[in-house]
Amino acid sequence: MFILKKRILESESGLFYLDKEGMLTDFKPSETNPIIKEKIEEPFAYNGYITKESISHLIIPKGVRGFADDFFRGITVTCRFELPEGLLFIGNSFHDNSSHGCVFSHCTLPDVRLPDSLKELGLFAFGCSVINYLQIPSTICSPYGRQFKDSHIKTLCLPKRWRDNFYLDDHSLIKKSLSDGWQKFWGYLVFDAEIDHLVFE
């Protein structure tokens, strides 16, 4: 009988289990970095409460190429969040019509720097999340999939060469200033997101 062995990578955050394509399939936090579960009263929730999960740091090791849908949905990272160079996909929604993305939706995250290697963000990848600082590289050109819909981004950092194409309106929502400058760069990735500050680096 043939048994497929999964590849295991490790960082100070814990153990990361990958399939043969490099997609993250399971995560076991380290003893010094546990996932903490807390019940919060919520009158409209089933049984009257919801469970919130938090972790101190989530450092994804190099070698992870992608995430399955919903993988870290709803988690709060309190200190450090790192994505590795070599990461290709966050959610595989544009390759599988039955999937729905949401890898980091409904999360609370500190600094998020998307690596230059990233090719695609799946549907609603960071939707409804609170992000302290988000840096988007010029290499991404995903189709629009509500990647940051209804999220609150405190500081959004875009490449310098995009400086003449984007601005924040009076309602702290990002707008395009050139009619052809929006979709050709990164396809409405932060459309419908609330953004407090916009910087270019």
Side-chain angles (χ1 to χ4, degrees), residues 23 60 64-67 81 83-92 94-95 103-104 112-122 125-126 134-143 147-148 162 185-186 189:
M23 293 286 288
I60 311 299
V64 174
R65 300 180 73 226
F67 300 93
F81 179 79
L83 297 170
E85 191 61 38
L87 183 68
L88 298 177
F89 306 103
I90 297 179
N92 54 357
F94 298 108
H95 302 285
V103 176
F104 292 106
V112 176
R113 289 174 169 81
L114 301 179
D116 289 339
S117 59
L118 193 64
K119 302 298 182 188
E120 196 169 284
L121 282 172
F126 290 87
L134 171 66
Q135 185 176 50
I136 294 180
S138 61
T139 51
I140 291 183
C141 196
S142 284
Q147 285 89 345
F148 294 92
W162 295 1
F185 284 132
W186 38 280
L189 287 185

Side-chain angles (χ1 to χ4, degrees), residues 96-113:
D96 180 357
N97 292 331
S98 67
S99 60
H100 49 73
C102 300
V103 176
F104 292 106
S105 70
H106 296 85
C107 290
T108 300
L109 303 170
D111 292 3
V112 176
R113 289 174 169 81

Side-chain angles (χ1 to χ4, degrees), residues 15-72:
L15 298 176
F16 296 80
Y17 298 82
L18 281 63
D19 67 13
K20 64 179 181 179
E21 303 297 330
M23 293 286 288
L24 193 60
T25 60
D26 199 5
F27 168 64
K28 182 181 179 182
S30 66
E31 292 182 2
T32 58
N33 186 49
I35 291 177
I36 298 170
K37 296 185 179 184
E38 180 183 6
K39 288 184 178 180
I40 307 291
E41 287 189 15
E42 175 54 65
F44 299 105
Y46 182 71
N47 288 336
Y49 66 87
I50 58 175
T51 300
K52 291 279 189 178
E53 294 186 344
S54 65
I55 192 168
S56 173
H57 47 84
L58 190 55
I59 301 166
I60 311 299
K62 190 171 182 179
V64 174
R65 300 180 73 226
F67 300 93
D69 294 339
D70 292 302
F71 199 87
F72 286 109

